[in-house]
Amino acid sequence: MDKPLADLCTPIRLLKAHRDIKNGILSRNQTKRLSGEGGIGANEVMKKLRRILNFNRALDRSQALPQWPTEELGKSGLKMWLEQKPRTSRVHKEELPAFWTAIEGLQCSLQRDLFKFLLLTGCRSAEARKLRQEDVNFHRWTVTFKNTKNGLDHTLPLTETLKDIVLTRLSLSEDGRLFPLFDPKAVTKHIKRASGLHITPHDLRRTFAGIAEAAGIGSTMKKDLLNHLSGRDVTDDYTGYTDSDDLRDALQRIEDKLMYFVEMPTSKRTAT
């Protein structure tokens, strides 16, 4: 904080800072016996520094600040440090019986209901944990996620299973929040002990998308269910957004396919 941006944002200083941050994270992880070499954490710090530089360049009409040294640091400004591959982890169909059993075995009903809700809606964990009673439309039986990642409200209809979860949570709520859970990632430890699977809340979003594919849900419908706008193409714009009843039907088909995998005998599950 006490160094001028112009001095910080040179290729040599940035590479040294990235290396020092990476080594610092690695050292702490080794002390705590945690995995991770620190490269991704260092990348995230640099991304934030780049945003700060670009913001101040926009405010500085004299253009005294340098541009982010993209060329010197690789095409994306990050590739010389550490390539970050998209995460692809999810619960595979042959793992669903053990995973579902682990969820059912959670002693805390709040944790159990949240993870079921995430798996059956494909929503983001933070968006589910922000839900309040006023976000539920009891006439149309929908929930609206507000201030989502793309900045738009996102409304999903409720299947009968989801209705039961919502009504149960509201009957137990003291402040109107459906899922007042601070850190759902802690639940992954309980699930891993019970099933051997390390699954994060966001992995359930990818699992939902995979089950939707298996249930024959089309790409436009999946984008609408997952609130993905960046992937919409010209054809989607002509088609428009999907009707609420069609979304509810799709969610029911996904739920049915999920339970089919959960209850399927091992021999059939392997062959499918």
Side-chain angles (χ1 to χ4, degrees):
M1 293 299 293
D2 60 348
K3 298 179 178 65
L5 271 175
D7 292 345
L8 273 177
C9 298
T10 65
I12 294 176
R13 291 292 294 273
L14 290 173
L15 288 171
K16 181 180 184 302
H18 184 277
R19 184 189 63 217
D20 292 345
I21 295 169
K22 176 179 178 294
N23 290 338
I25 296 173
L26 174 61
S27 176
R28 286 195 295 273
N29 285 347
Q30 289 176 337
T31 300
K32 296 179 180 180
R33 296 184 178 180
L34 299 175
S35 61
E37 297 181 352
I40 292 178
N43 277 11
E44 292 302 318
V45 173
M46 292 299 156
K47 287 180 182 178
K48 291 176 175 61
L49 178 58
R50 183 172 57 186
R51 293 191 191 107
I52 292 170
L53 175 64
N54 290 337
F55 179 80
N56 281 275
R57 274 178 53 81
L59 295 178
D60 180 22
R61 300 193 176 203
S62 69
Q63 295 295 302
L65 289 171
Q67 291 187 358
W68 185 260
T70 302
E71 295 302 323
E72 293 90 336
L73 297 176
K75 188 174 180 181
S76 70
L78 293 172
K79 287 186 177 179
M80 280 185 66
W81 302 339
L82 180 71
E83 181 180 0
Q84 291 181 240
K85 298 180 180 179
R87 295 181 181 179
T88 58
S89 54
R90 61 186 175 92
V91 187
H92 297 276
K93 63 178 183 293
E94 60 271 16
E95 298 169 335
L96 279 168
F99 180 74
W100 189 262
T101 299
I103 291 179
E104 291 281 20
L106 291 171
Q107 295 183 359
C108 175
S109 64
L110 172 58
Q111 296 175 346
R112 185 167 61 243
D113 286 345
L114 173 60
F115 268 59
K116 285 184 178 181
F117 188 85
L118 296 177
L119 187 54
L120 293 173
T121 63
C123 72
R124 296 178 178 86
S125 171
E127 294 169 359
R129 288 181 287 120
K130 290 178 184 175
L131 284 175
R132 303 186 62 86
Q133 181 171 341
E134 53 266 32
D135 299 323
V136 182
N137 186 317
F138 296 99
H139 298 289
R140 299 180 59 210
W141 284 110
T142 62
V143 292
T144 298
F145 305 95
K146 297 178 179 176
N147 192 26
T148 64
K149 187 176 180 179
N150 61 29
L152 301 176
D153 290 352
H154 176 49
T155 299
L156 277 183
L158 298 173
T159 64
E160 292 300 321
T161 301
L162 290 170
K163 283 184 193 177
D164 290 341
I165 292 175
V166 168
L167 291 174
T168 298
R169 296 322 320 163
L170 287 176
S171 69
L172 298 173
S173 177
E174 297 180 355
D175 59 1
R177 290 188 296 166
L178 270 69
F179 303 106
L181 194 63
F182 176 69
D183 184 15
K185 289 184 179 179
V187 185
T188 62
K189 297 178 182 178
H190 302 300
I191 293 175
K192 186 173 183 179
R193 277 198 294 267
S195 66
L197 300 171
H198 180 78
I199 299 297
T200 68
H202 201 76
D203 291 339
L204 301 184
R205 186 168 166 84
R206 285 185 284 268
T207 303
F208 174 89
I211 296 173
E213 187 75 24
I217 305 299
S219 60
T220 301
M221 180 75 76
K222 277 193 294 183
K223 290 170 189 174
D224 289 343
L225 289 170
L226 292 166
N227 195 26
H228 278 169
L229 297 183
S230 60
R232 294 182 66 85
D233 54 29
V234 175
T235 305
D236 295 333
D237 292 335
Y238 277 105
T239 305
Y241 286 91
T242 313
D243 180 82
S244 179
D245 289 337
D246 292 334
L247 289 172
R248 183 178 282 107
D249 177 66
L251 285 171
Q252 187 61 58
R253 287 167 59 190
I254 293 169
E255 181 181 324
D256 292 343
K257 179 60 72 172
L258 165 67
M259 298 314 299
Y260 173 76
F261 287 138
V262 167
E263 298 168 0
M264 188 191 299
T266 304
S267 57
K268 288 186 178 181
R269 203 180 313 129
T270 303
T272 300

